[in-house]
Coordinates of all heavy atoms in Angstrom, one line a residue:
M1015 N 0.8 -1.1 0.0 CA 0.0 0.0 0.0 C 0.8 1.2 -0.1 O 1.8 1.3 0.9 CB -0.8 0.0 1.2 CG -1.8 1.2 1.3 SD -2.9 1.0 2.8 CE -3.1 2.7 3.2
V1016 N 0.6 2.2 -1.0 CA 1.4 3.4 -1.1 C 0.8 4.4 -0.1 O -0.5 4.7 -0.1 CB 1.5 3.9 -2.5 CG1 2.0 5.3 -2.6 CG2 2.1 2.9 -3.4
T1017 N 1.6 5.1 0.7 CA 1.1 6.2 1.5 C 1.6 7.6 0.9 O 2.7 7.7 0.5 CB 1.6 6.0 2.9 OG1 1.2 4.8 3.4 CG2 1.2 7.1 3.8
S1018 N 0.6 8.5 0.7 CA 1.0 9.7 0.3 C 0.9 10.8 1.6 O 0.1 10.6 2.4 CB 0.0 10.3 -0.7 OG 0.1 9.5 -2.0
I1019 N 1.9 11.7 1.5 CA 1.8 12.6 2.6 C 1.6 14.0 2.1 O 2.3 14.5 1.1 CB 3.1 12.6 3.4 CG1 3.4 11.2 4.0 CG2 3.2 13.7 4.4 CD1 4.8 11.0 4.6
F1020 N 0.6 14.7 2.7 CA 0.3 16.1 2.3 C 0.5 17.0 3.4 O -0.1 16.9 4.5 CB -1.1 16.3 1.8 CG -1.4 15.5 0.5 CD1 -1.8 14.2 0.4 CD2 -1.5 16.3 -0.7 CE1 -2.0 13.5 -0.7 CE2 -1.7 15.5 -1.9 CZ -1.9 14.2 -2.0
V1021 N 1.3 17.9 3.4 CA 1.5 18.9 4.4 C 1.0 20.2 4.1 O 1.2 20.8 2.9 CB 3.2 19.1 4.7 CG1 3.4 20.2 5.7 CG2 3.9 17.8 5.1
N1022 N 0.1 20.7 4.9 CA -0.6 22.0 4.6 C 0.1 23.1 5.3 O 0.3 23.0 6.5 CB -2.1 21.9 4.9 CG -2.9 20.8 4.2 OD1 -2.6 20.7 2.9 ND2 -3.7 20.0 5.0
L1023 N 0.4 24.2 4.6 CA 0.8 25.4 5.1 C 0.1 26.7 4.6 O -0.4 26.6 3.4 CB 2.3 25.5 4.8 CG 3.3 24.6 5.3 CD1 4.7 24.9 4.5 CD2 3.4 24.5 6.7
S1024 N -0.1 27.6 5.3 CA -0.8 28.9 4.9 C 0.3 29.8 4.5 O 1.4 29.8 5.0 CB -1.7 29.4 5.9 OG -1.2 30.0 6.9
T1025 N -0.2 30.8 3.5 CA 0.8 31.9 3.2 C 0.0 33.2 3.0 O -1.3 33.2 2.7 CB 1.5 31.6 1.9 OG1 2.4 32.6 1.6 CG2 0.5 31.2 0.9
S1026 N 0.6 34.3 3.1 CA -0.1 35.5 2.8 C 0.2 35.9 1.3 O -0.6 36.9 0.9 CB 0.5 36.7 3.7 OG 1.9 36.7 3.5
D1027 N 1.0 35.2 0.7 CA 1.2 35.6 -0.7 C 1.5 34.2 -1.5 O 2.7 33.8 -1.6 CB 2.5 36.4 -0.8 CG 2.8 36.9 -2.2 OD1 2.3 36.4 -3.2 OD2 3.4 38.1 -2.3
L1028 N 0.5 33.8 -2.2 CA 0.4 32.5 -2.8 C 1.4 32.6 -4.0 O 2.2 31.6 -4.2 CB -0.9 32.0 -3.3 CG -1.1 30.7 -3.8 CD1 -0.6 29.5 -2.9 CD2 -2.4 30.3 -4.3
D1029 N 1.5 33.5 -4.8 CA 2.3 33.6 -5.9 C 3.8 33.6 -5.7 O 4.5 32.9 -6.2 CB 2.0 34.8 -6.8 CG 0.6 34.8 -7.6 OD1 0.3 33.4 -7.8 OD2 0.1 35.7 -7.8
R1030 N 4.1 34.4 -4.5 CA 5.4 34.3 -4.0 C 5.9 33.1 -3.5 O 7.0 32.7 -3.8 CB 5.6 35.4 -2.9 CG 6.9 35.6 -2.4 CD 7.1 36.9 -1.4 NE 8.3 36.8 -0.9 CZ 8.5 37.5 0.3 NH1 7.6 38.2 1.0 NH2 9.8 37.4 0.8
S1031 N 5.0 32.4 -2.8 CA 5.3 31.0 -2.3 C 5.5 30.1 -3.4 O 6.5 29.2 -3.3 CB 4.2 30.5 -1.3 OG 4.1 31.4 -0.3
K1032 N 4.8 30.1 -4.6 CA 4.9 29.2 -5.6 C 6.2 29.5 -6.3 O 7.0 28.5 -6.6 CB 3.8 29.4 -6.7 CG 2.4 28.9 -6.2 CD 1.4 28.8 -7.2 CE 1.1 30.1 -7.9 NZ 0.0 29.9 -8.8
T1033 N 6.7 30.7 -6.4 CA 7.9 31.1 -7.0 C 9.1 30.6 -6.2 O 10.1 30.0 -6.7 CB 8.1 32.6 -7.1 OG1 7.0 33.1 -8.0 CG2 9.4 33.0 -7.6
F1034 N 9.0 30.7 -4.8 CA 10.0 30.2 -3.9 C 10.2 28.7 -4.1 O 11.4 28.2 -4.1 CB 9.6 30.7 -2.5 CG 10.5 29.9 -1.5 CD1 11.7 30.4 -1.1 CD2 10.1 28.8 -0.7 CE1 12.7 29.8 -0.3 CE2 10.9 28.2 0.2 CZ 12.2 28.7 0.4
F1035 N 9.1 27.9 -4.0 CA 9.2 26.5 -4.0 C 9.7 25.9 -5.4 O 10.5 24.9 -5.4 CB 7.9 25.8 -3.6 CG 7.6 26.0 -2.1 CD1 6.5 26.7 -1.7 CD2 8.5 25.4 -1.1 CE1 6.4 26.9 -0.3 CE2 8.3 25.7 0.1 CZ 7.3 26.4 0.7
E1036 N 9.2 26.7 -6.5 CA 9.9 26.3 -7.8 C 11.3 26.5 -7.8 O 12.1 25.7 -8.4 CB 9.0 27.0 -8.8 CG 7.7 26.5 -9.2 CD 7.0 27.2 -10.2 OE1 6.8 28.5 -10.1 OE2 6.5 26.6 -11.1
A1037 N 11.8 27.6 -7.1 CA 13.3 27.9 -7.2 C 14.0 26.8 -6.4 O 15.2 26.6 -6.6 CB 13.5 29.1 -6.6
L1038 N 13.3 26.1 -5.6 CA 14.1 24.9 -4.8 C 14.1 23.7 -5.7 O 14.8 22.7 -5.4 CB 13.2 24.6 -3.7 CG 13.1 25.6 -2.5 CD1 12.2 25.1 -1.2 CD2 14.6 25.9 -2.0
G1039 N 13.5 23.7 -7.0 CA 13.4 22.7 -7.9 C 12.2 21.8 -7.8 O 12.2 20.7 -8.6
W1040 N 11.3 22.2 -7.0 CA 10.1 21.4 -6.8 C 9.2 21.9 -7.9 O 9.3 23.0 -8.4 CB 9.5 21.6 -5.4 CG 10.3 20.9 -4.4 CD1 11.4 20.2 -4.5 CD2 10.3 21.3 -3.1 NE1 12.1 19.9 -3.4 CE2 11.4 20.6 -2.4 CE3 9.5 22.0 -2.2 CZ2 11.6 20.8 -1.0 CZ3 9.8 22.2 -0.9 CH2 10.8 21.5 -0.2
H1041 N 8.2 21.1 -8.3 CA 7.2 21.6 -9.3 C 5.7 21.6 -8.7 O 5.5 21.0 -7.8 CB 7.2 20.8 -10.6 CG 6.7 19.4 -10.5 ND1 7.6 18.4 -10.1 CD2 5.5 19.0 -10.9 CE1 6.8 17.2 -10.1 NE2 5.6 17.6 -10.6
I1042 N 4.9 22.3 -9.6 CA 3.5 22.6 -9.1 C 2.7 21.6 -9.9 O 2.7 21.6 -11.1 CB 3.1 24.1 -9.3 CG1 3.9 24.9 -8.4 CG2 1.7 24.3 -9.1 CD1 3.8 26.4 -8.7
N1043 N 1.7 20.9 -9.3 CA 0.8 20.1 -9.9 C -0.5 21.0 -10.2 O -1.1 21.3 -9.4 CB 0.4 18.8 -9.0 CG -0.6 18.0 -9.7 OD1 -1.4 18.4 -10.6 ND2 -0.6 16.8 -9.1
P1044 N -0.6 21.3 -11.5 CA -1.7 22.2 -11.9 C -3.1 21.7 -11.7 O -4.1 22.4 -11.5 CB -1.5 22.6 -13.4 CG -0.7 21.3 -13.9 CD 0.1 20.7 -12.7
V1045 N -3.2 20.3 -11.5 CA -4.5 19.7 -11.2 C -5.1 20.2 -9.9 O -6.3 20.3 -9.7 CB -4.4 18.2 -11.4 CG1 -5.7 17.6 -11.0 CG2 -4.0 17.8 -12.8
F1046 N -4.2 20.3 -9.0 CA -4.7 20.6 -7.6 C -4.2 22.1 -7.1 O -4.1 22.3 -6.0 CB -4.0 19.7 -6.6 CG -4.6 18.2 -6.9 CD1 -3.7 17.2 -7.5 CD2 -5.9 17.9 -6.5 CE1 -4.2 16.1 -7.7 CE2 -6.3 16.6 -6.9 CZ -5.5 15.7 -7.4
T1047 N -4.1 23.0 -8.2 CA -3.7 24.3 -7.9 C -4.7 25.3 -8.5 O -5.3 25.1 -9.6 CB -2.3 24.6 -8.7 OG1 -1.4 23.7 -8.0 CG2 -1.8 26.0 -8.4
D1048 N -5.1 26.2 -7.8 CA -5.9 27.4 -8.1 C -5.6 28.6 -7.5 O -4.5 28.7 -7.0 CB -7.5 26.9 -8.0 CG -7.8 26.7 -6.5 OD1 -7.1 27.2 -5.7 OD2 -8.8 26.1 -6.4
E1049 N -6.6 29.6 -7.5 CA -6.2 30.9 -6.8 C -6.2 30.9 -5.3 O -5.6 31.8 -4.7 CB -7.3 31.9 -7.3 CG -8.7 31.7 -6.8 CD -9.6 30.7 -7.6 OE1 -9.1 30.2 -8.7 OE2 -10.6 30.4 -7.1
N1050 N -6.7 29.6 -4.8 CA -6.7 29.6 -3.2 C -5.5 28.8 -2.8 O -5.1 28.8 -1.6 CB -7.9 28.8 -2.9 CG -9.1 29.8 -3.0 OD1 -9.1 30.8 -2.7 ND2 -10.1 29.2 -3.7
A1051 N -4.9 27.8 -3.6 CA -3.9 26.8 -3.1 C -3.0 26.4 -4.3 O -3.4 26.3 -5.4 CB -4.6 25.7 -2.5
A1052 N -1.8 25.8 -3.9 CA -1.0 25.2 -4.9 C -0.5 23.9 -4.3 O 0.0 23.9 -3.1 CB 0.2 26.2 -5.1
C1053 N -0.4 22.9 -5.1 CA 0.1 21.6 -4.7 C 1.6 21.7 -5.2 O 1.9 21.4 -6.4 CB -0.8 20.5 -5.4 SG -0.2 18.9 -5.0
I1054 N 2.4 21.6 -4.3 CA 3.8 21.5 -4.5 C 4.3 20.0 -4.5 O 4.2 19.4 -3.4 CB 4.7 22.4 -3.6 CG1 4.1 23.8 -3.5 CG2 6.2 22.4 -4.1 CD1 4.1 24.6 -4.7
V1055 N 4.8 19.5 -5.6 CA 5.3 18.2 -5.6 C 6.8 18.0 -5.2 O 7.6 18.7 -5.9 CB 5.1 17.5 -6.9 CG1 5.6 16.1 -6.9 CG2 3.6 17.5 -7.4
I1056 N 7.0 17.6 -4.0 CA 8.4 17.4 -3.5 C 9.0 16.2 -4.1 O 10.1 16.3 -4.5 CB 8.4 17.5 -1.9 CG1 7.8 18.6 -1.5 CG2 9.9 17.2 -1.4 CD1 7.6 18.7 0.1
E1057 N 8.4 15.2 -4.1 CA 8.8 13.8 -4.7 C 7.5 13.1 -4.7 O 6.5 13.4 -4.3 CB 9.8 13.1 -3.8 CG 9.5 12.8 -2.4 CD 10.7 12.2 -1.7 OE1 11.7 12.8 -1.7 OE2 10.5 11.0 -1.3
E1058 N 7.6 11.9 -5.3 CA 6.5 11.0 -5.5 C 6.0 10.7 -4.1 O 6.6 10.2 -3.2 CB 6.9 9.7 -6.2 CG 5.7 8.8 -6.5 CD 6.1 7.5 -7.3 OE1 7.3 7.3 -7.3 OE2 5.2 6.7 -7.6
N1059 N 4.6 10.9 -4.0 CA 3.9 10.7 -2.8 C 4.2 11.7 -1.6 O 3.8 11.4 -0.5 CB 4.1 9.3 -2.3 CG 3.6 8.2 -3.4 OD1 2.5 8.5 -3.9 ND2 4.4 7.2 -3.6
L1060 N 4.9 12.7 -1.8 CA 5.1 13.8 -0.8 C 4.8 15.1 -1.4 O 5.4 15.6 -2.4 CB 6.6 13.7 -0.4 CG 7.1 14.7 0.8 CD1 6.2 14.5 1.9 CD2 8.5 14.5 1.1
Y1061 N 3.9 15.7 -0.8 CA 3.3 17.0 -1.4 C 3.2 18.1 -0.2 O 3.0 17.8 0.9 CB 1.9 16.8 -1.9 CG 1.8 15.6 -2.9 CD1 1.5 14.4 -2.4 CD2 2.2 15.7 -4.3 CE1 1.4 13.2 -3.4 CE2 2.1 14.8 -5.2 CZ 1.7 13.6 -4.7 OH 1.7 12.4 -5.5
L1062 N 3.5 19.3 -0.8 CA 3.2 20.4 0.1 C 2.0 21.3 -0.6 O 2.1 21.7 -1.5 CB 4.6 21.2 0.1 CG 4.6 22.6 1.0 CD1 4.3 22.3 2.4 CD2 5.8 23.2 0.7
M1063 N 0.9 21.4 0.3 CA -0.1 22.1 -0.1 C 0.0 23.5 0.5 O 0.0 23.7 1.8 CB -1.4 21.6 0.4 CG -1.8 20.2 -0.3 SD -1.9 20.3 -2.1 CE -3.4 21.5 -2.2
V1064 N 0.2 24.6 -0.4 CA 0.3 26.0 0.1 C -1.0 26.5 -0.1 O -1.5 26.8 -1.2 CB 1.5 26.6 -0.5 CG1 1.7 28.0 0.0 CG2 2.8 25.9 -0.5
L1065 N -1.7 27.1 1.0 CA -2.9 27.7 0.9 C -2.9 29.2 1.3 O -2.2 29.5 2.1 CB -4.0 26.9 1.7 CG -4.0 25.4 1.3 CD1 -3.2 24.6 2.3 CD2 -5.3 24.9 1.6
S1066 N -3.8 29.9 0.6 CA -3.9 31.3 1.1 C -4.5 31.3 2.5 O -5.1 30.4 2.9 CB -4.9 32.0 0.1 OG -6.3 31.6 0.2
R1067 N -4.2 32.3 3.3 CA -4.6 32.3 4.6 C -6.1 32.2 4.8 O -6.6 31.6 5.6 CB -4.2 33.7 5.3 CG -4.3 33.9 6.7 CD -3.9 35.2 7.2 NE -4.4 35.5 8.6 CZ -3.7 35.1 9.6 NH1 -2.5 34.5 9.5 NH2 -4.2 35.4 10.9
D1068 N -6.9 32.9 4.0 CA -8.4 32.9 4.1 C -8.8 31.4 3.9 O -9.8 30.9 4.5 CB -9.0 33.8 3.1 CG -8.8 35.3 3.6 OD1 -8.5 35.4 4.8 OD2 -9.0 36.2 2.8
F1069 N -8.3 30.8 2.8 CA -8.7 29.4 2.4 C -8.4 28.4 3.5 O -9.0 27.6 3.9 CB -8.2 29.1 1.0 CG -8.6 27.8 0.5 CD1 -10.0 27.5 0.4 CD2 -7.8 26.7 0.3 CE1 -10.5 26.3 -0.2 CE2 -8.3 25.6 -0.2 CZ -9.6 25.3 -0.5
F1070 N -7.1 28.6 4.1 CA -6.6 27.7 5.1 C -7.4 27.8 6.4 O -7.7 26.8 7.0 CB -5.1 28.2 5.4 CG -4.5 27.4 6.4 CD1 -3.8 26.1 6.1 CD2 -4.4 27.7 7.8 CE1 -3.1 25.4 7.0 CE2 -3.7 26.9 8.7 CZ -3.0 25.7 8.3
A1071 N -8.0 28.9 6.7 CA -8.9 29.2 7.8 C -10.1 28.4 7.7 O -10.8 28.1 8.7 CB -9.2 30.6 8.0
T1072 N -10.4 28.0 6.4 CA -11.7 27.1 6.3 C -11.6 25.7 6.8 O -12.5 25.1 7.0 CB -12.3 27.1 5.0 OG1 -11.4 26.5 4.0 CG2 -12.6 28.6 4.3
F1073 N -10.4 25.3 7.1 CA -10.2 24.0 7.5 C -10.0 23.8 8.9 O -9.8 22.7 9.5 CB -8.8 23.5 6.8 CG -8.9 23.3 5.4 CD1 -8.6 24.4 4.4 CD2 -9.4 22.1 4.8 CE1 -8.7 24.2 3.0 CE2 -9.5 22.0 3.4 CZ -9.2 22.9 2.5
T1074 N -10.1 24.9 9.7 CA -9.9 24.7 11.2 C -10.7 25.8 11.8 O -11.0 26.9 11.3 CB -8.3 24.8 11.5 OG1 -8.3 24.7 13.0 CG2 -7.9 26.3 11.2
D1075 N -11.1 25.5 13.1 CA -11.7 26.4 13.9 C -10.9 27.1 14.9 O -11.3 27.9 15.8 CB -12.9 25.8 14.6 CG -12.6 24.6 15.5 OD1 -11.4 24.3 15.5 OD2 -13.5 24.1 16.3
K1076 N -9.6 26.7 14.8 CA -8.5 27.3 15.6 C -8.1 28.6 15.0 O -8.0 28.8 13.8 CB -7.4 26.5 15.9 CG -7.8 25.0 16.7 CD -6.7 24.1 16.9 CE -7.1 22.9 17.6 NZ -8.4 22.6 18.0
P1077 N -7.5 29.6 15.9 CA -7.0 30.7 15.3 C -5.6 30.5 14.6 O -4.9 29.6 14.9 CB -6.7 31.6 16.6 CG -6.6 30.7 17.6 CD -7.5 29.5 17.4
I1078 N -5.4 31.2 13.5 CA -4.2 31.0 12.8 C -3.2 31.9 13.3 O -3.3 33.2 13.4 CB -4.5 31.3 11.2 CG1 -5.5 30.4 10.6 CG2 -3.1 31.2 10.5 CD1 -5.8 30.5 9.2
A1079 N -2.1 31.3 13.8 CA -1.0 32.0 14.5 C -0.2 32.9 13.5 O 0.0 32.5 12.4 CB -0.1 31.1 15.2
D1080 N 0.2 34.0 14.0 CA 1.0 34.9 13.2 C 2.5 34.5 13.5 O 3.0 34.5 14.6 CB 0.9 36.3 13.7 CG 1.8 37.3 12.9 OD1 2.8 36.9 12.3 OD2 1.5 38.6 12.9
P1081 N 3.2 34.0 12.5 CA 4.6 33.4 12.8 C 5.5 34.6 13.2 O 6.7 34.0 13.7 CB 5.0 32.9 11.3 CG 4.1 33.7 10.4 CD 2.8 33.9 11.0
R1082 N 5.2 35.7 13.1 CA 6.2 36.7 13.5 C 6.2 36.8 15.0 O 7.2 37.3 15.5 CB 6.0 38.0 12.8 CG 6.1 38.1 11.3 CD 5.6 39.3 10.7 NE 4.2 39.2 10.9 CZ 3.3 40.0 10.3 NH1 3.8 41.1 9.6 NH2 1.9 39.9 10.4
T1083 N 5.1 36.5 15.6 CA 4.9 36.7 17.1 C 4.8 35.2 17.8 O 5.3 35.0 18.9 CB 3.8 37.5 17.4 OG1 2.6 36.9 16.9 CG2 3.9 38.8 16.9
S1084 N 4.2 34.3 17.2 CA 3.8 33.1 17.8 C 5.1 32.2 18.2 O 5.2 31.5 19.1 CB 2.9 32.2 17.1 OG 3.4 31.7 15.9
V1085 N 6.1 32.2 17.3 CA 7.4 31.5 17.5 C 8.1 32.0 18.6 O 8.6 31.3 19.6 CB 8.3 31.4 16.2 CG1 9.5 30.8 16.5 CG2 7.5 30.7 15.1
M1086 N 8.2 33.4 18.7 CA 8.8 34.1 19.8 C 8.1 33.8 21.0 O 8.7 33.6 22.2 CB 9.0 35.5 19.6 CG 10.0 35.9 18.3 SD 10.1 37.6 18.1 CE 8.6 37.8 17.1
T1087 N 6.7 33.8 21.0 CA 6.0 33.6 22.3 C 6.1 32.2 22.7 O 6.4 32.1 23.9 CB 4.5 33.8 22.0 OG1 4.3 35.3 21.6 CG2 3.7 33.7 23.1
Q1088 N 6.1 31.3 21.9 CA 6.3 29.7 22.4 C 7.7 29.7 22.9 O 7.8 28.9 23.8 CB 5.9 28.9 21.2 CG 5.9 27.3 21.5 CD 4.9 27.2 22.6 OE1 3.8 27.7 22.6 NE2 5.2 26.2 23.6
T1089 N 8.7 30.1 22.2 CA 10.1 29.9 22.8 C 10.1 30.6 24.2 O 10.8 30.0 25.0 CB 11.0 30.7 21.8 OG1 10.9 30.0 20.5 CG2 12.5 30.5 22.3
A1090 N 9.6 31.8 24.4 CA 9.6 32.4 25.8 C 8.9 31.6 26.7 O 9.5 31.5 27.7 CB 9.1 33.8 25.6
R1091 N 7.8 31.0 26.3 CA 7.0 30.2 27.2 C 7.9 29.0 27.6 O 8.0 28.6 28.8 CB 5.8 29.7 26.7 CG 4.7 30.8 26.6 CD 3.4 30.2 26.1 NE 3.1 29.1 27.1 CZ 2.0 28.2 26.7 NH1 1.5 28.2 25.7 NH2 1.8 27.3 27.7
T1092 N 8.6 28.3 26.7 CA 9.4 27.2 26.9 C 10.5 27.6 27.9 O 10.9 26.8 28.8 CB 9.7 26.6 25.6 OG1 8.7 26.2 24.9 CG2 10.6 25.3 25.9
E1093 N 11.3 28.7 27.6 CA 12.4 29.0 28.3 C 11.9 29.3 29.8 O 12.8 29.0 30.7 CB 13.1 30.2 27.6 CG 13.8 29.8 26.4 CD 14.5 31.1 25.8 OE1 14.1 32.3 26.0 OE2 15.1 30.8 24.7
T1094 N 10.9 30.0 30.0 CA 10.4 30.4 31.3 C 10.0 29.1 32.1 O 10.3 29.0 33.3 CB 9.3 31.4 31.1 OG1 9.7 32.6 30.4 CG2 8.8 31.9 32.5
A1095 N 9.2 28.3 31.5 CA 8.6 27.1 32.2 C 9.7 26.0 32.4 O 9.5 25.3 33.4 CB 7.5 26.6 31.4
G1096 N 10.8 26.0 31.6 CA 11.7 24.8 31.9 C 11.1 23.6 31.9 O 10.2 23.2 31.0
P1097 N 11.4 22.7 32.8 CA 10.9 21.4 32.8 C 9.3 21.2 33.3 O 8.7 20.3 33.3 CB 11.7 20.7 33.9 CG 12.1 21.9 34.8 CD 12.2 22.9 33.9
N1098 N 8.7 22.4 33.6 CA 7.3 22.4 34.2 C 6.4 22.9 33.0 O 5.4 23.5 33.4 CB 7.2 23.3 35.3 CG 8.1 22.9 36.4 OD1 8.2 21.7 36.7 ND2 8.8 23.9 36.9
V1099 N 6.6 22.6 31.8 CA 5.8 23.0 30.6 C 4.4 22.3 30.7 O 4.4 21.0 30.7 CB 6.5 22.7 29.3 CG1 5.5 23.1 28.2 CG2 7.8 23.6 29.2
G1100 N 3.4 23.0 30.8 CA 2.1 22.4 30.7 C 1.5 22.4 29.3 O 2.1 22.7 28.4
P1101 N 0.2 22.0 29.3 CA -0.3 22.0 28.0 C -0.3 23.3 27.2 O -0.6 24.4 27.9 CB -1.8 21.4 28.2 CG -2.0 21.7 29.6 CD -0.7 21.8 30.3
A1102 N 0.0 23.4 25.9 CA 0.0 24.7 25.2 C -1.3 24.7 24.4 O -1.8 23.8 24.0 CB 1.2 24.7 24.3
A1103 N -1.6 26.0 24.1 CA -2.7 26.2 23.1 C -2.3 25.8 21.7 O -1.1 25.7 21.4 CB -2.9 27.6 23.1
T1104 N -3.1 25.2 21.1 CA -3.0 24.7 19.7 C -3.4 25.8 18.6 O -4.4 26.3 18.7 CB -3.8 23.4 19.4 OG1 -3.5 22.4 20.4 CG2 -3.5 22.9 18.0
F1105 N -2.5 26.1 17.7 CA -2.7 27.0 16.7 C -2.4 26.5 15.3 O -1.6 25.5 15.1 CB -1.8 28.2 16.7 CG -2.1 29.1 18.2 CD1 -1.4 28.8 19.2 CD2 -3.0 30.0 18.1 CE1 -1.7 29.6 20.4 CE2 -3.3 30.7 19.2 CZ -2.6 30.6 20.4
A1106 N -3.1 27.0 14.2 CA -2.8 26.6 13.0 C -1.7 27.7 12.5 O -1.9 28.9 13.0 CB -4.0 26.8 12.1
V1107 N -0.7 27.4 11.9 CA 0.4 28.3 11.8 C 0.6 28.7 10.4 O 0.4 28.0 9.4 CB 1.8 27.6 12.0 CG1 2.9 28.5 11.8 CG2 1.7 27.3 13.5
Q1108 N 0.6 30.1 10.1 CA 0.8 30.5 8.7 C 2.3 30.8 8.5 O 2.9 31.2 9.3 CB 0.1 32.0 8.6 CG 0.4 32.6 7.3 CD -0.1 34.1 7.4 OE1 -0.8 34.5 8.2 NE2 0.2 34.8 6.4
V1109 N 2.7 30.4 7.2 CA 4.0 30.5 6.8 C 4.2 31.6 5.9 O 3.4 31.9 5.0 CB 4.6 29.3 6.2 CG1 6.1 29.3 5.7 CG2 4.5 28.1 7.2

């Protein structure tokens, strides 16, 4: 049985994201690409789905974290809590 992996990421600029991933040598599958999302083929059975922020939000009821602040906040929480880290809030992350 073949397993396919799809990793979903949101972006504030879909065209810029497509250009970036193509520059890495990956290609876009036009069958699963439109104005809301792009399917980036990393290798056979491994895909990166890059979705516009608004479209990404339709897949979750959780808030979409701002990567400029959420990473710093999570790092600070971890450093402060040390070994006593409790349950953290779950966020969908925008790239």
